[in-house]
Amino acid sequence: MRAIKIFLLGLLFGACSVAKVDYDRNTDFSHYRTFNFYPEMNSGLNQLDEKRIVVQTEAFLAGKDFVKSDSPDMYVNIFSRQYETPNNSSVGIGIGSGGRGGGVGISGGIPIRSNSTTQEITFDLIDAGKEELIWQGISEVKLGNNSSPEAREQAYKKVVEKVLGKYPPGKK
């Protein structure tokens, strides 16, 4: 049973798309060592999901030797856009008859799974002194509408690692 859960969580995590990044090529990213979250951050996530992604972001940046500060070098702003992804999987049932010059058919579909929610999550890194965007990373995550809190936490962890793993530019 545990192996099945791990497999299903793996499928969920595999649904994350590739992270896309953009940045100011004239910026020296080595000067940024402290961070905090943008004071007016409006993530578009519910409070539980926002807390999950903030905790994962703090942990990831701390692991890269960044320090959270009240007077940071850069702000992290997170926002999301979400939409329902319809599920096209269904089982069809049909009855048919045909013969000389005539035919009758009846069919129907029964959905196998419910719709899922796709969230496009954007991370903006902003120079705190200049209030200018210096780096941006975007990725998507698909969450089932009935995803457990643990599955949501793991999905957000994967997104944070995938997106912020590309910061600073030029490092792999």
Side-chain angles (χ1 to χ4, degrees):
M1 185 66 175
R2 182 179 167 106
I4 292 171
K5 286 182 181 179
I6 291 171
F7 174 74
L8 292 175
L9 283 174
L11 286 176
L12 175 69
F13 302 147
C16 295
S17 68
V18 175
K20 297 173 264 182
V21 298
D22 191 13
Y23 58 93
D24 181 353
R25 294 185 334 164
N26 298 319
T27 298
D28 180 3
F29 292 96
S30 65
H31 294 295
Y32 300 100
R33 301 306 317 151
T34 61
F35 77 96
N36 207 331
F37 292 92
Y38 196 69
E40 293 134 26
M41 185 169 77
N42 184 5
S43 70
L45 299 168
N46 68 46
Q47 287 181 337
L48 296 171
D49 286 343
E50 182 174 306
K51 184 176 180 180
R52 289 178 182 113
I53 205 161
V54 163
V55 166
Q56 294 299 327
T57 301
E58 286 178 350
F60 186 83
L61 290 174
K64 289 191 120 188
D65 296 327
F66 285 90
V67 177
K68 189 173 181 185
S69 170
D70 289 334
S71 55
D73 301 325
M74 71 177 173
Y75 287 119
V76 177
N77 189 28
I78 302 168
F79 59 95
S80 70
R81 179 179 70 89
Q82 63 185 32
Y83 50 92
E84 290 292 313
T85 306
N87 180 14
N88 296 329
S89 299
S90 63
V91 174
I93 301 171
I95 301 173
S97 174
R100 294 184 166 223
V104 175
I106 300 173
S107 69
I110 301 170
I112 297 175
R113 293 182 296 161
S114 64
N115 292 346
S116 63
T117 300
T118 299
Q119 293 177 333
E120 180 183 81
I121 301 178
T122 301
F123 293 81
D124 284 345
L125 301 184
I126 301 162
D127 182 296
K130 298 177 188 174
E131 287 280 328
E132 290 180 359
L133 180 66
I134 57 170
W135 187 92
Q136 183 179 69
I138 303 170
S139 188
E140 289 183 345
V141 62
K142 291 184 182 180
L143 296 168
N145 290 339
N146 297 321
S147 295
S148 69
E150 295 82 11
R152 296 177 86 79
E153 184 175 320
Q154 288 301 313
Y156 289 128
K157 180 178 181 181
K158 184 100 173 169
V159 167
V160 168
E161 290 171 351
K162 188 174 289 188
V163 175
L164 294 180
K166 294 186 179 250
Y167 179 84
K171 291 197 176 181
K172 301 275 178 181

